[in-house]
Amino acid sequence: MRTLFRWPGHRAMAGRFTVIPIMVGLAIPYLVTVLLYLSQTYPDQWLPETPWGLVAGKAFLAVAGPVSLALVWRRFQAPRLGIWAYDWVGGWMVAYAMGWIGAIGQDLMDRTSLDPTGRLILVWAAVSWVLVGTALLVSGALTLTGLMNSERSERKRLEALISFTQQITSMDFQTTLDSAVRELYHLLDADACVLYLWNDQDQVLIPVAGIHSESVYTKEYIDRMMAFRCPKGHGLTGAVMESGEPYISSDVSTDPRTTSMPGYGEGHKSSILAPLLLEGRRLGVVRLTRRGINQFTKDDLDLTLSFAGQAALMIEHGRVLQELASLSMTDALTGLFNARQFHRILEREASLAQRHQQPLSLVMIDSDSLKQMNDRLGHQTGDLYLKQIAQVIRETIRRTDFAFRYAGDEFLLILPQTEPEMALTVAERIRQGVERMRLSPVVTGTISLGVATLLVHASTPEGLLAAADDAMYQSKRAGKNRTTLASSSALNASR
């Protein structure tokens, strides 16, 4: 409805006297024409009997009435409601007054002596002003309806934003991201909405949440889009991340910064992009797309920016929570899981292994050289030594394995679905990797390892840990820098 009334009186020109000046401008020549016609055609009959006070009063009301109404409405109503209906009402009052003035002209004349042309001019002048006034009332009513619909739409958007804000504290990080994207997607009636977060380590934007219309995009395109890592400055998304400024592309296909991705199909589409900003830092970009040209307005951009602002706060909040959760789960020095997580994961993996009759191996690692490192080279070198051991472990084990810094210079590995021989091979690779490290020509870093497997060397998680610990001490007693597999007799001891 808003697009139908962009001529004078629309909210875009709110507060300006637009309809009223036009109507007054039309009324003045009308009054002059009527007076001149009557005075020149019937000077003896009309001028002496003309009640000039009445005519002047009507003319004054025609101008003063609308202006007074406009000033009163603007002072007490318009700034609060944002509805500038006084322009339409004032214009109608001018038309109404002109109609009555035309009727006065008819009443002042002897109708039997008034020629048909003059009578027709006065009658149709009065009628035309009434019609103009009626048209103004209808147009004003329609415009007011459009403004009220717009207000309701803005209220709906605000309610959605408030709802999203409330959800932030009641959902986990990923669920909240998905909820934000879904809410914005439906609210702006988009064909696609994707939220990208900036990865400092890789220096790329990574899509972390997205929703696409399956009637517009193919599954292959959606998968490719959600797997694409966007460098800063690449395409529209990368350009917005680089500039930190929001952007509306009225036609993506003709935009010079667009980088095409096959799979969308023919046809034009529009995009709206907003950066996620928090205290000057750029956290990512949210992008919406809709079929057609010029599909997004400034109101849509304002709404997207509001969501982007809330999303930025939520993302930062989520990152802090993740860091806190990570601190409670991992060792601060090495980044490996801590002892608290070890017992929880061991219980879970041991239960799964026993239920499905699958092997589960445990490797215990203890440094042979940390004390010498600390005494001769300082604790900073010792810390670096432990970090490098952790790095060797990470580079050796599989993604399905678990590594822990258990205490001091002790490390533990949980290797699901791993037979004793394979666990022994993994342990040897780690030992050799640590032996190749050269922190100092003065001290050579070595480790001793013990390997045990559930249902082979122990029947319980506690027994498995004891068997691996005993095997590790056998390596120590045998001269260090070696790997020892637990003896089968440990199974009986653990029962």
Side-chain angles (χ1 to χ4, degrees):
M1 183 65 70
R2 290 177 296 175
T3 59
L4 298 179
F5 297 98
R6 293 195 179 276
W7 56 300
H10 184 260
R11 187 172 61 173
M13 304 185 74
R16 301 178 183 178
F17 299 110
T18 52
V19 173
I20 293 176
I22 292 174
M23 299 304 297
V24 172
L26 293 174
I28 291 174
Y30 164 73
L31 289 173
V32 173
T33 300
V34 171
L35 292 175
L36 287 176
Y37 174 80
L38 293 177
S39 63
Q40 292 177 8
T41 307
Y42 308 101
D44 297 333
Q45 296 182 16
W46 191 75
L47 284 176
E49 301 176 6
T50 301
W52 290 106
L54 181 61
V55 174
K58 284 286 187 178
F60 175 78
L61 289 177
V63 177
V67 174
S68 300
L69 176 64
L71 294 176
V72 171
W73 184 282
R74 186 176 185 182
R75 172 63 179 85
F76 296 104
Q77 298 291 334
R80 179 171 58 88
L81 298 177
I83 301 172
W84 305 92
Y86 63 84
D87 229 2
W88 299 98
V89 176
W92 171 78
M93 289 185 67
V94 174
Y96 184 78
M98 292 303 100
W100 273 105
I101 289 174
I104 292 173
Q106 298 177 57
D107 293 337
L108 292 177
M109 297 305 302
D110 181 356
R111 300 188 179 214
T112 59
S113 61
L114 187 63
D115 67 273
T117 303
R119 188 182 304 169
L120 187 62
I121 290 176
L122 291 175
V123 170
W124 277 107
V127 171
S128 64
W129 279 104
V130 172
L131 292 176
V132 170
T134 303
L136 281 173
L137 281 181
V138 173
S139 299
L142 291 176
T143 299
L144 189 60
T145 302
L147 293 175
M148 293 177 67
N149 289 337
S150 176
E151 293 294 328
R152 281 194 291 266
S153 176
E154 292 297 328
R155 189 180 302 112
K156 180 181 177 182
R157 293 182 176 198
L158 181 60
E159 290 173 354
L161 183 60
I162 293 173
S163 174
F164 165 60
T165 305
Q166 292 173 342
Q167 291 173 359
I168 289 177
T169 56
S170 61
M171 295 182 180
D172 61 77
F173 188 53
Q174 186 59 50
T175 304
T176 307
L177 291 177
D178 294 335
S179 176
V181 168
R182 185 170 55 253
E183 194 80 37
L184 195 56
Y185 171 85
H186 290 298
L187 199 57
L188 292 185
D189 193 25
D191 295 326
C193 181
V194 181
L195 179 65
Y196 299 85
L197 290 186
W198 179 249
N199 185 296
D200 278 324
Q201 182 176 354
D202 299 331
Q203 292 292 293
V204 292
L205 284 165
I206 300 176
V208 295
I211 180 169
H212 296 75
S213 171
E214 296 182 357
S215 63
V216 178
Y217 298 93
T218 63
K219 185 179 184 303
E220 292 76 14
Y221 177 87
I222 296 173
D223 292 341
R224 190 159 47 241
M225 177 64 72
M226 295 306 295
F228 177 68
R229 295 183 165 217
C230 179
K232 186 183 292 186
H234 179 82
L236 291 177
T237 306
V240 169
M241 180 64 194
E242 186 173 45
S243 67
E245 298 292 333
Y247 181 68
I248 297 180
S249 177
S250 58
D251 186 359
V252 173
S253 61
T254 61
D255 198 299
R257 290 186 289 183
T258 297
T259 54
S260 60
M261 181 176 290
Y264 171 75
E266 300 297 329
H268 300 278
K269 60 180 178 179
S270 306
S271 275
I272 186 170
L273 303 98
L276 305 181
L277 303 175
L278 185 65
E279 298 178 351
R281 291 184 295 121
R282 302 169 197 171
L283 305 182
V285 175
V286 60
R287 174 171 182 166
L288 295 106
T289 304
R290 189 189 297 163
R291 285 169 294 181
I293 300 175
N294 295 318
Q295 291 295 305
F296 293 106
T297 65
K298 186 179 182 302
D299 289 342
D300 296 330
L301 179 60
D302 291 340
L303 177 63
T304 305
L305 288 172
S306 297
F307 264 78
Q310 292 296 326
L313 288 173
M314 177 270 297
I315 289 166
E316 187 67 16
H317 176 68
R319 283 180 173 173
V320 171
L321 291 180
Q322 283 187 330
E323 289 177 2
L324 292 175
S326 177
L327 289 175
S328 67
M329 296 169 55
T330 61
D331 172 61
L333 178 64
T334 62
L336 302 180
F337 287 117
N338 56 27
R340 182 188 307 172
Q341 292 302 307
F342 167 74
H343 294 287
R344 182 181 65 83
I345 294 175
L346 180 62
E347 287 288 340
R348 183 192 67 195
E349 294 298 323
S351 176
L352 290 173
Q354 291 172 333
R355 186 184 311 151
H356 299 287
Q357 292 297 301
Q358 294 177 336
L360 175 70
S361 293
L362 184 66
V363 178
M364 176 168 277
I365 304 171
D366 186 77
S367 169
D368 302 325
S369 316
L370 181 62
K371 188 176 185 307
Q372 290 181 339
M373 291 277 184
N374 289 335
D375 292 344
R376 303 181 65 177
L377 303 175
H379 285 276
Q380 288 185 341
T381 303
D383 289 344
L384 180 60
Y385 171 58
L386 293 177
K387 288 181 181 180
Q388 290 192 351
I389 293 177
Q391 183 62 29
V392 171
I393 291 173
R394 271 192 292 264
E395 292 173 351
T396 306
I397 63 176
R398 304 165 299 184
R399 284 190 173 186
T400 55
D401 299 331
F402 302 91
F404 309 83
R405 184 187 180 194
Y406 192 61
D409 56 352
E410 289 185 353
F411 298 85
L412 283 167
L413 308 180
I414 297 177
L415 311 178
Q417 301 181 21
T418 304
E419 300 285 355
E421 293 76 13
M422 180 58 70
L424 194 64
T425 300
V426 172
E428 267 297 291
R429 288 175 182 171
I430 293 173
R431 185 191 65 78
Q432 293 169 7
V434 172
E435 190 177 22
R436 286 193 294 269
M437 295 189 317
R438 287 292 180 266
L439 284 178
S440 167
V442 180
V443 179
T444 301
T446 61
I447 55 176
S448 297
L449 303 92
V451 178
T453 302
L454 191 67
L455 302 182
V456 176
H457 305 112
S459 59
T460 64
E462 295 80 9
L464 183 64
L465 178 60
D469 183 62
D470 183 67
M472 185 270 294
Y473 276 106
Q474 288 184 37
S475 296
K476 291 278 191 184
R477 289 191 291 269
K480 302 179 180 180
N481 191 24
R482 66 190 63 225
T483 302
T484 302
L485 183 65
S487 63
S488 57
S489 61
L491 177 62
N492 297 324
S494 68
R495 287 176 177 172

